[in-house]
Amino acid sequence: MQLGVIKIENDKKFQIKELILKKNVKKESRSSILSLRKINWRPYAMVIALAVIAIFFQINTNGIFLRARNFSILMRQMSIIGIITLGMALLIISGNFDLAAGSTVALAGGVAAVMQVWYGWNTLSSVLIGVLVGGLLGTWQGFWVAYRKIPSFIVTLGGLTMFRGIYLVITKGITITPLTKSFTFFAQGFVPKNLGMALAIFSCLVYTVLVIQGTASKKNYGIKPDSVIIMICKIVLVSGIIILTVIMMNYYLGIPIPVIIMLVIALLLNFISIKTVFGRNLYAIGGNIEAARFSGINIKKTIMIMFVIMGALCALSGILLTGRLDGATASAGTMFELDAIAACVIGGTSLKGGKGSISMAIIGALVMASLDNGMSLMNISSYAQYIIKGLVLILAVWFDVAAGQKNE
Amino acid sequence: MDEEDIVTKYILEVKDLTKEFPGVIALDNVSLHVKLGEIHAVIGENGAGKSTLMKILSGVYPYGTYKGRVIIDGSERHFRNVRESEEAGVAIIYQELALANNLSIAENIYLGTSKGSKYGIINWDQKNHEASEWIRYVGLEEQPSTIVMDLGVGKQQLVEIAKALSKKAKILILDEPTAALTENEVEHLANILRDLKKKGITSIFISHKIQEVLKISDTVTVIRDGKTINTLSNYELNEKGIISMMVGRDFSHRFPERKYQKTDQLIMEVKNWKLAKPKSLDKYVFKDINFKLYRGEILGITGLMGAGRTELVNSLFGVYGGETSGEIYVCGQKVMIKTPEDAIRRGIGLLTEDRKRFGLNLSGSIRSNISLASIAKFSKYGYINENKEIRECEKYVDSLKIKMTSLDNLITKLSGGNQQKVILARWLMVNPTILLVDEPTRGIDVGAKYEIYILMDALLKNGIGIVMVTSELPEALSMSDRVLIMREGRLVKEFDNNNLTEEIIMKYATGSD
């Protein structure tokens, strides 16, 4: 249909329309003033919270917390659960859960280790089989959720015990070790300092090009782009963060490889969630599954793919964990799913679905990792740490709820 | 109570009420004077401030968040919460009923009160006995133990009223009480309100439906743009006057004249279409449905609630539970439609009846809601060209005159009428040949309705055929080329829309032909 043709015909007899328009103009001028005041506060609040946590630990650990060595360790600790958190965020946005994430970590990482240690497979094949196992476990769960309409809570609760059970049946509970150097390198290695810095500079350049390109494209479509000042601010800020982080990492041994892997996945999933049809459909399904259905979205397929992605990400996390521990253990990955869900929620992902973002989820993961790391540095017992982390989770959500009510 | 008293005594007075939200003045010096024992209607377009007013009266917006005075029974009240307003005798019955569906009538009536229990243990015999009195009081004949889920919407509403009365409510506020009711149920509700009036209970009811307001109420207060426009009593009331006050200008017609007329070009034909209920193939939701749709026409389908109209259009769109049989032809070609995807591919769009449940993604932006069904159009290898998407959305925002500040605002910031236009935009974006619209103007105000009608007419020019399911007979009569009447799952009559009247339609719809 031609768009221009749907013009509302002006009918002299019925002038009501103009009246409505006039009224509208008034409303609009009012609310444009309003929009300035209604900045999305959440990202800023998260960054501030993170800064407060960092300062708190910095003081209470006599300056160890922000030292290069600890920063590197913190980021590496974070990366393993961080990868799961990223997938979990998308899954929750689509209105689902994965309580079996930790067990998938164990089983997929375990299979990779078994292949290498028992059957002498090389690292690449072992890693690939591990990821494949993760994908299959995701397929299994996706099938029941998407095609058999079993709530994901139930399906993945089943997976939680089943997958670990399978792992224990295979390994009989013994630790599978030792792995080859190349396997552990993925989890324990570092990017050479020069290469790291080169990568950082390269990323800054790519980002700059993308910003400029985006502006040009907007102009092409006649959409008002950001002002030059905002563009420059964006580029300076992002480049600054990248370079500073790498400098800090290079003070120690360089960028840990798992951190690079996590960041690549974060960028990829962020892109998928914002710029692709698949990502858009995840939000639509989580926001209102009925509306999505009536709009012709293939819900089953979308949910299925999401679970497969989640399974593969868990597997990757499992492989890194196995590599870091230099072996697969019976308790590997226990409670990972809960940490991941907590990180998502702290990052503002709505458990009802339809709301959330990758970037905030990763900040949520950083908050959780900082708490873990900082409290350990302060010699707080791991038992007490459980209590504090639980409290933080509740307080974070309460903060959200309270702020939401105020906004109304 | 003698006549004199009723005239002079105000049970509820609202004086110079002003309520601001950041940047928006929702209520601007609103005053309302409700006499003891009257039925007082508050009428206004969506967004006029009715709900805000009610939320202040019920304590949802506590004292201190607004300016002005609320006086009940002669003394000023400062409600801090809903409980306090309930204690003062104000009860609100919301459009979306707040009943626990899986509990019994009696349980619902006493939900939230500790009455009838001792040390936390409930004396069910006593409760059921008391409940049954309230149930009869509102004209219900059900047992107190009847589960609320098994009642129709009309009866559920009466349960709500019974619940309010059991809490010693003196002022009943009903928010759009007739939105989901059939005409008979509306009549029954009106009778109940009149009965309550005799017992000294004051009712305030909020509505857009002018005719019902005229029928039921003693006094009408018109609100527009957060201001009280006028309060009229019984003998001053007439439809045109109220409408002109609501929209601020006199307009003699609620419907535009149709500009584009039906052609002879067949675009859809439905033959022996039947939907069997799941697991019981001999029972059907509808059957023997045969109709044709021509390019450039609006085909109205009307009938009572439960006649199978929504199920029919949903099934044509590939959404149904059960087993369909029969044939659908689109532009001469036989088609199989199993999912909405199939339907969209064949050029069929469906504007669903329940906007919130089936249409909107309430956590999404305006943009994502508009482009929801046609996102593939802006994508290559799954990558969305957002700029193209924004451009295209902007075109529809302009042509449909959707009032908004930014495409990236949440959809919830729009009024009902604008939300409906967003969904209309969604379906126009997929370039349909056939547009199925189910109650296209339900729950939106007079002005927005008028705009939707003009839009529908304008669409016909582009060669679209529209199937319009509607319960509002004036809408069916004013907008359709032909009217189909459904009753109990069958098409009982087809009319060319000449000299057709509401009476004739009702005769066939109710089966009194």
Side-chain angles (χ1 to χ4, degrees):
Chain A
M1 178 204 336
Q2 300 302 302
L3 239 182
V5 201
I6 326 172
K7 255 186 280 170
I8 297 179
E9 300 284 322
N10 224 337
D11 201 327
K12 277 171 205 145
K13 248 200 308 196
F14 311 118
Q15 287 154 330
I16 167 178
K17 203 180 62 213
E18 273 119 297
L19 176 97
I20 291 165
L21 286 181
K22 256 185 239 155
K23 214 166 72 184
N24 183 30
V25 172
K26 233 194 311 175
K27 263 187 205 154
E28 213 159 318
S29 60
R30 255 194 231 150
S31 48
S32 63
I33 303 167
L34 181 74
S35 61
L36 274 179
R37 258 191 272 165
K38 278 203 178 167
I39 300 166
N40 187 7
W41 52 270
R42 200 170 206 296
Y44 304 98
M46 285 299 297
V47 171
I48 291 168
L50 201 54
V52 170
I53 291 171
I55 293 168
F56 174 82
F57 284 132
Q58 182 71 358
I59 294 168
N60 285 286
T61 59
N62 299 322
I64 299 172
F65 184 74
L66 281 180
R67 249 179 230 162
R69 180 173 174 276
N70 189 55
F71 183 63
S72 177
I73 291 171
L74 189 160
M75 290 296 285
R76 201 172 54 187
Q77 282 172 340
M78 167 194 168
S79 60
I80 289 172
I81 289 187
I83 290 170
I84 302 177
T85 304
L86 295 167
M88 190 70 86
L90 288 189
L91 203 56
I92 293 176
I93 285 169
S94 79
N96 290 286
F97 279 103
D98 187 2
L99 295 178
S103 299
T104 311
V105 164
L107 181 50
V111 169
V114 163
M115 283 328 205
Q116 181 154 83
V117 176
W118 290 0
Y119 299 98
W121 286 25
N122 65 29
T123 298
L124 184 66
S125 317
S126 311
V127 167
L128 285 179
I129 194 84
V131 174
L132 185 72
V133 166
L136 284 175
L137 297 179
T139 312
W140 160 265
Q141 304 205 97
F143 166 77
W144 288 104
V145 176
Y147 293 90
R148 289 291 173 267
K149 305 243 154 63
I150 313 286
S152 61
F153 187 90
I154 302 300
V155 172
T156 61
L157 188 60
L160 169 74
T161 58
M162 273 175 63
F163 300 162
R164 195 168 293 278
I166 295 171
Y167 170 73
L168 291 172
V169 166
I170 294 174
T171 64
K172 307 203 171 50
I174 55 167
T175 302
I176 315 295
T177 188
L179 298 161
T180 61
K181 272 247 165 65
S182 58
F183 199 114
T184 52
F185 177 75
F186 274 115
Q188 298 176 357
F190 293 88
V191 178
K193 291 179 184 177
N194 292 337
L195 182 61
M197 190 45 84
L199 267 176
I201 293 169
F202 178 70
S203 323
C204 295
L205 287 177
V206 169
Y207 182 75
T208 309
V209 170
L210 285 178
V211 168
I212 293 170
Q213 239 180 20
T215 307
S217 168
K218 271 190 180 168
K219 272 186 192 155
N220 249 345
Y221 283 90
I223 297 163
K224 207 178 139 238
D226 290 336
S227 69
V228 180
I229 298 174
I230 291 182
M231 268 170 63
I232 293 173
C233 286
K234 264 188 184 171
I235 293 170
V236 169
L237 193 71
V238 171
S239 306
I241 290 173
I242 294 175
I243 303 276
L244 276 178
T245 309
V246 173
I247 288 176
M248 190 128 166
M249 297 281 193
N250 280 355
Y251 259 107
Y252 185 53
L253 294 169
I255 313 168
I257 290 179
V259 173
I260 288 276
I261 294 176
M262 179 190 69
L263 289 177
V264 169
I265 290 172
L267 286 175
L268 191 69
L269 292 188
N270 193 44
F271 173 82
I272 287 176
S273 70
I274 298 171
K275 299 281 184 186
T276 68
V277 175
F278 174 72
R280 195 67 78 82
N281 289 351
L282 290 177
Y283 280 92
I285 292 169
N288 183 348
I289 194 165
E290 288 298 331
R293 185 158 74 118
F294 273 93
S295 297
I297 290 172
N298 191 332
I299 293 166
K300 291 175 183 163
K301 194 172 112 192
T302 309
I303 296 296
M304 182 71 172
I305 294 174
M306 191 56 238
F307 269 101
V308 175
I309 292 176
M310 183 64 188
L313 289 175
C314 290
L316 199 55
S317 167
I319 288 160
L320 291 177
L321 182 67
T322 311
R324 205 180 91 194
L325 303 175
D326 194 6
T329 64
S331 63
T334 313
M335 296 256 287
F336 274 22
E337 57 280 336
L338 299 184
D339 276 348
I341 292 172
C344 289
V345 169
I346 288 175
T349 317
S350 163
L351 288 185
K352 284 186 218 138
K355 274 183 195 160
S357 74
I358 288 293
S359 47
M360 294 310 290
I362 206 140
I363 295 185
L366 198 51
V367 168
M368 292 291 283
S370 301
L371 287 175
D372 271 340
N373 176 286
M375 288 192 294
S376 299
L377 286 180
M378 284 172 67
N379 281 326
I380 296 174
S381 77
S382 62
Y383 309 134
Q385 285 189 26
Y386 283 130
I387 302 172
I388 293 170
K389 274 162 67 182
L391 269 176
V392 167
L393 175 65
I394 293 170
L395 290 177
V397 175
W398 169 70
F399 183 55
D400 247 13
V401 171
Q405 278 169 351
K406 226 182 227 170
N407 269 8
E408 273 177 31
Chain B
M1 198 174 310
D2 62 28
E3 196 67 31
E4 185 69 23
D5 257 338
I6 292 174
V7 173
T8 51
K9 196 177 174 199
Y10 289 119
I11 179 126
L12 169 71
E13 283 177 283
V14 167
K15 288 186 175 162
D16 305 324
L17 207 57
T18 299
K19 166 83 183 166
E20 281 182 59
F21 294 103
V24 182
I25 299 169
L27 294 178
D28 189 358
N29 279 313
V30 163
S31 295
L32 182 68
H33 302 277
V34 181
K35 291 171 205 158
L36 180 64
E38 74 171 346
I39 302 178
H40 192 118
V42 174
I43 191 164
E45 288 191 64
N46 277 354
K50 293 168 298 184
S51 328
T52 311
L53 176 60
M54 296 311 136
K55 281 183 180 162
I56 289 175
L57 293 180
S58 64
V60 174
Y61 296 139
Y63 177 73
T65 63
Y66 58 87
K67 278 177 262 174
R69 303 198 294 156
V70 175
I71 299 160
I72 290 173
D73 247 349
S75 58
E76 186 167 343
R77 302 299 180 116
H78 301 163
F79 298 138
R80 281 171 304 179
N81 51 45
V82 177
R83 185 153 291 235
E84 289 188 0
S85 82
E86 271 177 8
E87 279 162 11
V90 179
I92 295 217
I93 291 157
Y94 289 102
Q95 190 177 352
E96 274 128 35
L97 300 176
L99 293 173
N101 273 326
N102 49 347
L103 299 185
S104 71
I105 297 179
E107 284 170 303
N108 267 288
I109 288 179
Y110 292 109
L111 208 63
T113 66
S114 49
K115 252 182 87 180
S117 56
K118 220 173 200 177
Y119 313 120
I121 297 162
I122 300 164
N123 181 343
W124 279 113
D125 291 335
Q126 187 200 336
K127 266 201 169 180
N128 282 337
H129 175 70
E130 283 177 18
S132 65
E133 282 177 20
W134 290 115
I135 292 167
R136 258 175 278 131
Y137 199 87
V138 295
L140 281 175
E141 282 149 13
E142 267 70 14
Q143 290 299 314
S145 56
T146 308
I147 302 296
V148 163
M149 210 179 335
D150 300 333
L151 301 175
V153 182
K155 288 184 175 172
Q156 290 187 2
Q157 207 164 44
L158 296 176
V159 173
E160 279 259 32
I161 294 177
K163 180 179 169 183
L165 295 175
S166 78
K167 290 183 186 169
K168 304 268 180 299
K170 290 179 293 183
I171 305 171
L172 270 185
I173 302 178
L174 301 112
D175 187 7
E176 301 282 359
T178 60
L181 301 190
T182 64
E183 288 199 26
N184 286 338
E185 286 171 331
V186 171
E187 194 54 46
H188 185 71
L189 178 68
N191 287 334
I192 298 291
L193 291 186
R194 289 186 197 113
D195 255 11
L196 292 176
K197 180 178 158 180
K198 281 180 207 148
K199 290 166 185 157
I201 289 170
T202 312
S203 308
I204 299 176
F205 93 93
I206 301 166
S207 184
H208 330 84
K209 293 193 180 172
I210 297 160
Q211 282 164 346
E212 280 163 15
V213 165
L214 290 174
K215 223 186 286 174
I216 299 174
S217 51
D218 303 313
T219 311
V220 174
T221 294
V222 181
I223 294 187
R224 184 178 84 225
D225 292 340
K227 295 185 177 120
T228 315
I229 300 303
N230 208 343
T231 298
L232 304 165
S233 52
N234 211 340
Y235 52 91
E236 301 169 290
L237 294 175
N238 70 67
E239 191 176 347
K240 277 187 198 166
I242 293 180
I243 291 180
S244 74
M245 275 185 258
M246 278 168 71
V247 298
R249 183 172 299 198
D250 177 51
F251 77 108
S252 39
H253 301 268
R254 280 159 48 201
F255 300 94
E257 244 165 70
R258 282 276 306 276
K259 282 206 162 75
Y260 303 101
Q261 301 305 332
K262 173 185 165 197
T263 67
D264 291 334
Q265 208 182 334
L266 189 63
I267 50 175
M268 187 187 209
E269 187 168 6
V270 174
K271 281 185 184 166
N272 297 321
W273 193 238
K274 176 179 167 177
L275 175 60
K277 285 189 179 165
K279 285 175 198 155
S280 51
L281 293 179
D282 48 328
K283 284 185 190 156
Y284 59 90
V285 182
F286 54 76
K287 69 171 181 179
D288 301 334
I289 304 288
N290 289 286
F291 69 84
K292 291 174 179 172
L293 177 72
Y294 295 92
R295 212 174 268 283
E297 85 164 330
I298 296 179
L299 176 66
I301 299 182
T302 186
L304 298 180
M305 264 198 190
R309 297 164 304 163
T310 294
E311 291 81 355
L312 172 60
V313 285
N314 281 359
S315 75
L316 296 177
F317 193 67
V319 179
Y320 47 81
E323 194 81 27
T324 56
S325 63
E327 291 159 6
I328 303 173
Y329 294 86
V330 173
C331 298
Q333 219 186 340
K334 189 174 170 186
V335 295
M336 296 288 280
I337 295 173
K338 297 249 174 244
T339 62
E341 251 179 309
D342 295 341
I344 293 168
R345 212 177 305 126
R346 300 290 179 186
I348 304 175
L350 170 64
L351 194 72
T352 50
E353 176 191 16
D354 192 331
R355 198 166 51 231
K356 289 225 167 88
R357 240 181 101 197
F358 300 114
L360 296 168
N361 170 8
L362 290 174
S363 45
S365 64
I366 298 170
R367 165 155 64 113
S368 67
N369 269 289
I370 293 179
S371 63
L372 190 60
S374 44
I375 195 72
K377 253 173 62 177
F378 313 113
S379 322
K380 219 178 202 174
Y381 310 118
Y383 169 73
I384 302 169
N385 182 337
E386 283 189 286
N387 292 328
K388 200 170 160 193
E389 181 197 1
I390 291 170
R391 282 305 292 162
E392 201 71 359
C393 288
E394 277 174 350
K395 278 191 210 166
Y396 284 95
V397 166
D398 286 348
S399 64
L400 303 192
K401 300 211 174 355
I402 297 172
K403 299 164 202 164
M404 50 144 233
T405 44
S406 162
L407 274 175
D408 290 322
N409 278 352
L410 278 181
I411 186 83
T412 43
K413 296 204 170 161
L414 300 184
S415 68
N418 280 306
Q419 290 180 350
Q420 187 74 333
K421 285 192 203 166
V422 163
I423 303 186
L424 195 56
R426 177 192 298 168
W427 290 116
L428 298 185
M429 213 176 233
V430 305
N431 280 344
T433 1
I434 298 153
L435 191 58
L436 312 168
V437 296
D438 194 357
E439 305 287 0
T441 63
R442 170 165 293 175
I444 62 180
D445 58 65
V446 182
K449 272 187 183 181
Y450 192 83
E451 286 186 273
I452 298 271
Y453 296 137
I454 293 183
L455 284 169
M456 285 188 355
D457 186 42
L459 289 176
L460 300 177
K461 193 167 95 181
N462 304 312
I464 290 184
I466 297 178
V467 176
M468 175 179 74
V469 169
T470 177
S471 304
E472 292 188 35
L473 298 184
E475 186 169 280
L477 288 171
S478 309
M479 295 305 296
S480 336
D481 294 277
R482 288 180 297 144
V483 177
L484 303 179
I485 300 164
M486 277 186 86
R487 185 175 77 227
E488 290 162 9
R490 308 267 196 134
L491 274 184
V492 288
K493 191 74 188 169
E494 177 183 333
F495 283 110
D496 277 330
N497 192 359
N498 298 323
N499 306 321
L500 195 57
T501 64
E502 291 189 31
E503 288 71 27
I504 300 175
I505 293 181
M506 280 318 286
K507 225 169 64 182
Y508 285 95
T510 55
S512 54
D513 48 313

